[in-house]
């Protein structure tokens, strides 16, 4: 835990310059617009320890796999989120000395602000250089939500003391690399760059090795009184303007265009990028920013959550919503919600089962309907690759296994116990279909693409089980459940339950939408679903996480000593595996997804059995437990879990914010409020709420997009109010009462 | 399978030059003397694909671990068997052209012979060079069994056609590297080298990075009529002599000294190496060779096995015995029997549980008693490290876990399912104590060092299990048995049975030798041993390989299609894991080790249950099954298993001889004959034989060193004869009859 940021309802604020926090602040203050994004690297550069990171959605490098002992079936490569051209770079030279906060004599009045309402990253400080000169530096930048290929940077330099010359050198720097490269491969092939001093523009173009993605970056600069000269370096280009004896503030603007070959033929990318930059400059910084802020205002108007009485809780939930929107904009079915978004390199790939299990509800509820549908289409587009993945593992006849980690549908992960065995992910794809129809009431995607996905996944499950006469049921051996602190177990209840449900649901979809599947196959799916082995403790409600779970030495996590936590850092892997301790919801994930299948008594007994053994060492754990605690009316536990999930990165609970943010778990945080404290579900098409006001909050309110309407739910000590802000009349159920809204 | 070698009772013979076989021949024709050894690289160098390999016992490099996803508890490094100075190198230049079989115009009458009786590697061929010149090349070399720091090379060049000049350039080449380096580290630091043309000598000295082992190599050359000049290169030194218009054969000898800092202080190594080389030259090549051959004659006189009627079987068993003797000489408790010996890099490390489980019986039976005792001492010397290994995994109070792979006692392996979970290896250390006493009747080592090892291992088992009220027994979760095609299973019968036995045996040793262990602890060990969970199928003799084994889809390996074999190459890992197929003896390994604990009926039922599901994809598998088949009187199965183990490398069954030979499984081959067909066991101090003559053999005979005697057992169609060749009178039991020999 590292709590150094100021609480504020709309802003993240860092005061005072501490190089120790550099990497985590670079993550936390990241900006993006769903198409590209960037860590909060200093515009003027920084020679101290930090991590440069500029990422373009859908552009990746297939880094050759690194593995100790090769297992048959491992993928050949791991798709790396790729550090791309550093387009913010704007060197400032004062009296011939490069401005660098790491080498300055002093840095005072340092403040960094992420204004989430406006979508702006701002920084100000007073810097004393080595030669005694002093300036005030103010920077602001944004990546446009209005124009997805554009960004802009403002730099203001105010001479305060002994400033003889100021040079401003806006650059495009393609000389970048990934810290997480496996083999020190060069990921980019430099295509060329040039600057036109007269026009105040530069263009730089790179293409990825192997994957052949082209990314062109351009800048169009403006600075009153500047006479630009060109500056070239290896893989970098830019401009330079010098001011002798400046008396007043130097105000510089850089308009950036970034176009990748996802949106233009490679040859055209540089020209398109340049046009975007020039159009931005023509519009002007203020107007460009105003359009960007208006787009953010729209986003907030659909998806804000207000919390009163607890500014930290308010700040945290907005931080989560803000980053989710920066990561995914929903206009491109080739993109998805990467676990670190545009904030870091870790994990690689762009999509995990997190998308279907956690992110879909957020995007359905806070965005126009087409956004969530893009997430579904992403998987249908990759169905062919999912079938190939399954074939590599010996499956046949169109069975599909969606990857654990991927960019283009091919599996990238290489731990056998995860890659080959954590197959419950395949079921999440089908749950997403069910949830999407339940929420939207629409079957446009489901009727054709959805059924195809469901059939292919059903075929996988049908081949993955086998009949055991000994158990008098279908068994599924050698799996890893959501609780990754168990590997290669047999009959993981969650996986088996989910698989059985997938098979039943596939039969239902095939019949509803008249898909072509033989009756024999449907009968087989029905049989497996009906006779799946589902371990349960005799005479109790307890579903057993897997075969043999009761043989473990069962004890609550509270009995663990301080020094043993987190166990994934303190214990060897075998000790974790044979212990009873649970990383994240496993049986309880099933109770979360299949609420209607179980009684409150069953939920209570399983929650009381499993939650105490859960160490919540996954960022995806507290939210599900918080929601279930809410369902059980356990206020304290629900709030404890909420706090743990919502400020995970802001307060850097696990000392890992430096790697990037936990983007997908942010959707879980949103769910903790809306599905947890708000108790929101859609029951037979009716939005239904069972609310709870957490201790210390005077009120909270959230909005929902629901079938063409905007609902606002407000919960305070007087009760719960649901308002229909726009759209046709509808009925809702609130704490057991049905209300007709119009 | 690649069968290109000629059958011969005493020699391995390759005829005709095929570059495709280069790497496997380099392995198969390797020579060594237990102190150092070498792949059969060509003396004159070779520019085609091959693998240079010259290894020095006990000299290793701790290469930084390579791993995809780090698990807590992994070792930081992997000890590499280290490619060391190439001392055979002797360049031959004809008419200014470097002799190189890869670039020659033609290579005729090529023959390579490994004379196992004499311990000589010989090669002859006629080479036509690019310029049309033709020579006959004959080489011979050996690594002295008589003088462990010495080796010698003979090269004969006979001009046949158009030879104008011949240059001979004997070198010491320290510019070598490992193919299996993880990070391209430089393993060696070059200390220096020099040649004295007048003296006809060279010395070269290197020291390993990190581990600081010094290895000095020297050569002292002789060649009638030569005038030497020095030749120096980076990390190499040597001499050159030129002959103009040679009419007769040029006969060159190189005497090599090799001394490492295991046997001298680093500063003295070069001088010692030089002295050894010069002494060799003074003795002369023929006398040096005679002493070496005499040493081999002694080895064969103790340990030969004769098979009549099947020259391939004869050749194979000698090949196995030959390489075991080349790998381990038993005069140094710091050394052990590496899985590839001095024949390749693969696997790294110097000792696996193979030593205790497979190699110890061979060395006890074919060598003076001190040899096997060195193998036991090796483990006691590393007890401190074994305790550290256990501490890294959370064990306390002096519990020890012997490593899966090691050089100096520290664990080097980094797959969690092996490193942390394949802990049955710990029991093999204790079985070795039992077997050693049973064989030798001696307790010198056992009484003190042995008890210490047994106590530390008992403490490990006592902490590794826990009481399960649910199972009403002690359970051991999360292990990998000898069958590595199951990972992270619960209650592996073999491991649990072995652990229970270790605990009982430790109590017995503590009481016999009055070691200091509290009564409470002894009571706990006794209790665990008595109430260990041992899975068994209800109403049958079948011991269950692990919990849940019967849930698998059980089928014989014979039902697998050709294309599915070997499954470790054709199937993904998860498919292997959830299948019933068994890599090597697991339950049956227990029946092998604890023969007296089970009836023939029990053995038969378990053999018939497990063997058909066994794919024998470990080199250690067929021998154990062969021995058990012999015990059951299953002649065909016993012979099938014998053939599979004995010519594994010679016929390159698994297309992996190029990596090096399966040294430790060679001891299993020896066991197949002696314990299998010979049915040899020691029962209450009495050598006992239950013999079987395999189909197609007219007879076989083996010798045993037993408590100061040499026994020879001969089996033919007339029956079995046991002769006492030397030593005091004793009783033996042969096929149910007791005989008094004198």
């Amino acid at each position: 835990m590292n709590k150094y940021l100021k609480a504020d309802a709309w802003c993240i604020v860092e005061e005072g310059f501490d190089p120790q926090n550099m990497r985590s602040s670079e993550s936390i203050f990241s900006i993006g617009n769903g198409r590209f994004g960037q860590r909060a690297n200093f515009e003027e550069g920084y020679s101290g320890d930090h991590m440069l990171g500029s990422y373009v959605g859908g552009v990746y490098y297939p880094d050759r796999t690194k593995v100790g002992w090769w297992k048959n079936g491992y993928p050949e490569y791991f798709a790396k989120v790729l550090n791309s051209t550093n387009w913010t770079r704007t060197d400032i030279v004062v009296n011939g000395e490069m401005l660098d906060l790491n080498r300055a004599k002093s840095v005072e009045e340092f403040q960094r602000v992420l204004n989430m309402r406006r979508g702006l990253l701002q920084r100000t400080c007073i810097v004393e250089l080595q030669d005694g000169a002093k300036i005030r530096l103010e920077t602001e930048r944004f990546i446009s939500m209005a124009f997805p290929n554009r960004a802009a940077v403002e730099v203001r330099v105010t001479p305060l003391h002994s400033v003889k010359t100021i040079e401003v050198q806006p650059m495009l720097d393609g000389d970048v690399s990934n810290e997480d490269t496996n083999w020190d491969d060069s990921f980019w092939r430099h295509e060329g760059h040039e600057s036109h001093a007269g026009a105040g523009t530069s263009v730089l173009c790179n293409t990825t090795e192997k994957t052949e993605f082209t990314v062109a970056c351009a800048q169009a600069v403006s600075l009153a009184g500047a006479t630009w000269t060109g500056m070239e370096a290896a893989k970098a280009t830019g401009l330079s303007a010098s001011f002798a004896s400046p008396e007043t503030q130097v105000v510089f603007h850089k308009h950036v265009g970034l176009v990748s070959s996802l949106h233009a033929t490679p040859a055209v990318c540089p020209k398109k990028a340049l046009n975007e930059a020039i159009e931005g400059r023509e519009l002007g910084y203020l107007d460009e920013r105003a359009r960007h802020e208006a787009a953010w205002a729209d986003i907030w108007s659909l998806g804000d959550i207000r919390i009163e009485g607890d500014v930290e809780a308010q700040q945290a939930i907005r931080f989560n919503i803000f980053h989710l929107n920066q990561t995914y904009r929903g206009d491109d079915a080739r993109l998805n919600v990467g676990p670190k978004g545009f904030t870091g390199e870790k994990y690689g790939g762009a999509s995990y089962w997190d998308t279907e299990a956690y992110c879909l509800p957020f995007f359905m509820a806070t965005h126009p309907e087409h956004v969530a549908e893009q997430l579904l289409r992403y998987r249908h587009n990759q169905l062919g690759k999912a079938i190939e993945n399954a074939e590599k593992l010996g499956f046949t006849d169109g069975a599909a296994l969606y990857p654990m980690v991927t960019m283009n549908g091919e599996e990238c992960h290489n731990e056998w116990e995860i890659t080959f065995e954590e197959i419950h992910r395949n079921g999440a794809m089908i749950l997403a279909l069910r949830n999407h129809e339940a929420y939207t009431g629409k079957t446009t995607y489901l009727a054709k693409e959805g059924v195809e996905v469901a059939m292919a996944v059903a075929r996988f499950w049908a081949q993955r089980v086998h009949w055991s006469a000994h158990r008098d049921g279908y068994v599924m051996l050698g799996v890893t459940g959501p609780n990754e602190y168990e590997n290669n177990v047999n009959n993981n209840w969650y996986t088996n339950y989910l698989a059985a449900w997938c098979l039943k649901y596939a039969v239902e979809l095939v019949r509803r939408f008249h898909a072509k599947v033989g009756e024999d196959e449907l009968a087989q799916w029905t049989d497996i679903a009906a006779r799946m082995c589902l371990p349960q403790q005799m005479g109790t409600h307890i579903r057993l996480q897997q075969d043999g779970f009761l043989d473990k030495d069962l004890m609550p996590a509270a009995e663990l000593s301080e020094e043993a936590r987190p166990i994934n850092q303190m214990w060897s892997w075998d000790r974790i595996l044979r212990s009873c301790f649970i990383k994240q919801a496993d049986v309880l994930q099933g109770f979360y997804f299949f609420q209607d299948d179980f009684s409150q008594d069953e939920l209570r007994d399983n929650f009381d059995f499993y939650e105490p053994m859960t160490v919540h060492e996954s960022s995806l754990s507290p939210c599900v437990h918080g929601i279930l605690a809410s369902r059980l009316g356990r206020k304290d536990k629900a709030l404890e879990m909420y706090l743990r999930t919502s400020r995970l990165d802001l307060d850097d609970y696990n000392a890992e914010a430096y790697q990037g943010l936990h983007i997908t778990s942010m959707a879980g945080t949103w769910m903790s409020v809306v599905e947890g404290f708000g108790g929101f579900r859609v029951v037979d098409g009716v939005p239904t709420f069972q609310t709870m006001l957490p201790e210390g909050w005077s009120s909270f309110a959230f909005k929902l997009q629901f079938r063409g309407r905007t609902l606002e739910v407000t919960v305070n000590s007087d009760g719960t109010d649901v308002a229909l802000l726009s759209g046709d009349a509808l009925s809702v159920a609130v704490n057991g009462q049905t209300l007709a809204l119009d």
Side-chain angles (χ1 to χ4, degrees), chain A:
Chain A
M1 181 131 164
N2 180 16
K3 207 171 167 71
Y4 64 94
L5 301 167
K6 274 185 68 176
D8 179 283
W10 275 108
C11 292
I12 310 300
V13 182
E14 179 183 11
E15 291 191 336
F17 179 61
D18 182 352
Q20 296 292 326
N21 294 327
M22 192 61 171
R23 281 180 180 247
S24 55
S25 285
E26 284 178 325
S27 299
I28 290 167
F29 290 82
S30 291
I31 56 172
N33 70 351
R35 186 160 295 177
F36 64 112
Q38 202 191 45
R39 289 167 60 80
N41 305 127
F42 288 172
E43 287 82 355
E44 73 279 11
Y46 183 69
S47 64
D49 182 59
H50 76 133
M51 183 172 133
L52 205 61
S54 190
Y55 311 103
V56 181
V59 174
Y60 63 93
Y61 178 82
D63 204 13
R64 196 155 48 86
T65 294
K66 187 173 77 172
V67 64
W69 298 87
W70 188 265
K71 297 279 199 260
N72 213 27
Y74 275 169
E76 297 288 331
Y77 72 86
F78 187 81
K80 287 280 157 79
V81 169
L82 200 50
N83 188 16
S84 177
T85 301
N86 177 13
W87 49 261
T88 59
R89 189 176 154 194
T90 304
D91 297 349
I92 308 291
V93 184
V94 177
N95 300 350
E97 179 184 338
M98 192 74 79
L99 184 66
D100 177 354
L101 267 55
N102 186 48
R103 296 199 169 123
K105 205 180 256 182
S106 72
V107 179
E108 285 161 24
E109 297 180 28
F110 179 93
Q111 191 184 52
R112 173 146 52 179
V113 175
L114 184 64
N115 187 315
M116 299 185 286
R117 191 204 293 255
R118 301 171 65 197
L120 302 176
L121 171 60
Q122 301 162 321
R123 181 168 52 107
T124 176
C125 58
I126 292 172
V127 188
E128 185 180 1
L129 287 96
Q130 284 300 332
D131 81 341
K134 217 173 215 186
I135 58 140
R136 174 182 290 281
L137 175 72
E138 292 160 283
T139 69
E140 181 179 273
R141 70 181 193 241
F142 59 89
I143 299 181
S144 179
M145 272 292 177
F147 304 105
N149 299 326
R150 272 145 71 171
V153 181
E154 177 181 83
V155 179
R156 289 169 185 261
V157 183
T158 312
L160 298 180
H161 182 67
S162 303
V163 174
K164 299 185 205 81
T165 61
I166 294 176
E167 287 163 72
V168 178
Q169 298 173 345
M171 306 290 291
L172 300 172
D173 185 359
D175 190 13
V176 295
S177 59
N178 270 49
E179 286 196 354
D180 69 352
T181 166
N182 280 342
W183 306 95
D184 292 326
D185 284 9
S186 174
F187 292 174
W188 291 102
R189 184 173 69 240
H190 186 59
E191 300 280 11
H193 60 259
E194 55 180 347
S195 288
H196 286 273
T201 61
S202 312
V203 184
L204 182 142
C205 187
N206 283 329
T207 297
T208 56
E209 299 289 355
K210 298 187 189 173
T211 37
E212 297 291 324
F213 292 110
T214 292
V215 175
C217 247
Q219 62 177 3
V221 302
S222 79
L223 173 48
T227 305
W228 295 108
T229 56
M231 287 188 73
E232 305 293 324
K235 304 183 190 173
T237 186
L239 301 160
S240 180
S242 184
F243 298 84
S245 308
E247 303 238 326
T248 57
Q249 209 175 45
V250 174
V251 182
F252 163 78
H253 291 112
K254 172 197 283 217
H255 295 270
V256 173
L258 188 150
V259 175
S260 81
S261 53
L262 272 74
H263 299 102
T265 52
V268 176
C269 288
K271 193 171 159 50
K272 279 209 155 190
L274 185 60
N275 286 347
E276 292 272 10
I278 289 170
E279 280 174 27
R281 183 170 62 183
E282 282 171 2
L283 194 58
Y285 185 80
L286 292 181
D287 279 357
E288 189 81 354
R289 189 176 70 185
R291 300 286 286 272
H292 167 70
E293 290 184 17
W296 266 111
D298 287 346
I299 291 168
W300 287 116
S301 80
L302 299 183
D304 188 25
I305 292 181
R306 283 180 290 111
I307 296 173
E308 285 178 6
D310 186 338
V311 69
E312 287 206 343
Q314 173 66 80
Q315 182 186 41
I317 191 66
R318 286 199 172 121
F319 180 72
N320 287 280
I321 296 168
F322 180 72
H323 273 293
L324 284 164
N325 279 287
Q326 293 205 121
T327 305
Y328 188 70
R329 57 191 293 121
D331 60 357
D332 190 337
R334 294 168 298 184
L335 305 186
N336 208 289
V337 190
K340 296 277 169 214
F342 300 115
T343 72
E345 298 172 358
K346 207 186 171 190
Y347 296 130
S351 55
Y352 287 60
W353 68 288
D354 307 19
T355 294
E356 280 69 18
Y358 295 88
C359 301
L360 188 71
F362 170 82
F363 285 104
M364 289 195 299
T366 66
H367 282 78
E369 279 186 359
H370 73 274
V371 171
E373 198 173 303
Q374 296 286 10
L375 289 174
L376 299 188
R377 288 200 180 279
Y378 177 89
R379 296 296 185 180
H380 184 263
N381 291 344
Q382 298 185 350
L383 179 57
K385 293 280 189 194
I387 291 170
E388 283 175 28
N389 290 337
E391 283 169 352
K392 283 178 195 163
L393 303 188
F395 293 84
T396 59
D397 301 312
L401 175 59
Y402 279 93
M404 196 69 204
V405 181
T406 193
M407 275 288 183
N408 68 348
E410 286 176 61
E411 179 61 79
C412 285
H413 198 82
N414 60 342
E415 283 176 299
W416 63 265
E417 61 273 22
I418 306 295
T419 311
F420 304 152
E421 298 206 337
E422 198 175 336
I423 53 179
H424 67 82
R425 62 184 184 256
N426 228 16
M429 309 300 141
I430 314 307
L431 280 169
L433 299 176
R434 177 199 73 172
N435 294 348
H436 186 257
E437 186 189 5
Y439 198 94
T440 63
K442 295 206 172 144
T443 58
T444 337
Y445 172 82
L446 183 65
K448 186 167 180 310
E449 292 93 339
V451 180
E452 286 174 13
V453 170
M455 282 161 47
V457 167
R459 287 184 173 127
F460 173 84
W461 293 124
Q463 292 174 40
R464 190 56 167 74
V465 299
H466 69 264
W467 175 256
S468 166
H470 180 251
R471 291 286 285 262
D472 193 30
Y474 287 93
V475 294
M476 198 179 327
L477 308 185
V479 305
T480 294
N483 169 20
E484 292 169 329
Y485 289 177
E486 302 281 353
N487 292 160
N488 195 42
V489 300
N490 295 334
N491 295 311
N492 171 260
W493 179 86
Y494 171 75
T495 306
N496 284 19
Y497 195 89
L498 180 59
W501 174 83
C502 286
L503 289 161
K504 272 184 291 192
Y505 185 63
V507 173
E508 177 194 322
L509 291 182
V510 165
R511 297 213 189 281
R512 267 175 76 192
F513 300 110
H514 313 292
K516 280 197 192 136
V517 179
E519 282 301 322
D520 282 1
E521 194 170 5
L522 293 179
Q524 186 206 12
W525 296 356
T526 305
D527 183 53
I528 295 170
R531 299 201 286 166
M532 183 74 87
C533 187
L534 294 168
Q536 184 163 351
Q537 187 181 23
M538 293 260 286
T540 75
H541 288 139
I542 307 302
R543 272 59 176 180
L544 292 177
Q545 190 177 275
Q546 72 239 15
D547 285 352
F549 187 79
L550 293 176
D551 294 353
K552 286 175 176 278
D553 192 9
L554 303 182
M555 65 178 79
E559 284 186 20
L560 287 168
S561 68
E562 270 297 306
E563 304 88 67
R565 304 291 290 269
I567 60 172
N568 70 9
Q569 287 172 31
M570 307 312 294
W571 281 8
S572 71
W573 191 244
D574 60 313
R575 194 171 177 189
I576 291 173
L577 289 178
R578 66 179 185 270
S579 82
C580 68
F581 300 116
I582 299 171
K583 184 184 182 191
Q584 70 185 91
D586 194 297
V587 166
L588 294 179
Q589 187 80 37
F591 275 77
Y592 167 67
F593 280 140
F594 297 104
Q595 178 170 359
D596 294 336
D597 295 0
F598 306 101
S599 69
Q600 280 289 101
D601 282 355
E602 286 177 305
L603 172 61
R604 182 198 61 225
D605 289 357
N606 281 276
F607 189 87
D608 289 344
F609 184 74
Y610 286 111
E611 197 284 329
M613 291 189 277
T614 306
V615 290
H616 302 296
E617 291 178 9
S618 159
S619 65
L620 298 173
S621 186
C623 57
V624 171
H625 288 91
I627 294 167
L628 296 180
S630 293
R631 287 186 194 166
L632 290 169
R634 307 271 175 88
K635 271 196 175 189
D636 290 355
K637 181 56 82 175
L639 186 58
E640 175 199 332
M641 292 289 113
Y642 172 75
L643 292 175
R644 204 157 161 159
T645 177
S646 70
R647 294 189 65 87
L648 176 67
D649 290 317
L650 277 180
D651 294 341
D652 203 4
Y653 268 87
N654 298 337
E656 58 189 22
Y658 71 94
Q659 300 169 337
L661 306 178
H662 296 85
I663 298 295
T664 48
S665 88
M666 291 176 169
T669 304
W670 178 89
M671 281 165 34
S672 298
V673 176
V674 173
E675 298 186 20
F677 303 134
F680 169 61
R681 302 171 61 210
V682 180
V683 180
D684 296 331
V686 178
T688 304
F689 304 90
Q690 187 69 42
T691 63
M692 169 194 288
L693 186 63
E695 193 71 29
W697 296 12
S698 53
S699 77
F700 71 94
F702 57 89
K703 288 183 187 166
L704 295 172
Q705 301 303 306
F706 182 77
R707 304 192 182 186
R709 291 116 177 148
T710 302
L711 295 173
E712 184 166 42
V713 181
T714 307
V715 181
N716 58 31
S717 54
D718 296 336
T720 300
D721 180 54
V722 180
L724 178 63
L725 301 189
S726 72
D728 298 343
L730 92 165
S731 285
V732 299
V734 181
N735 295 332
Q737 289 202 303
T738 301
L739 307 176
L741 304 181
D742 51 23

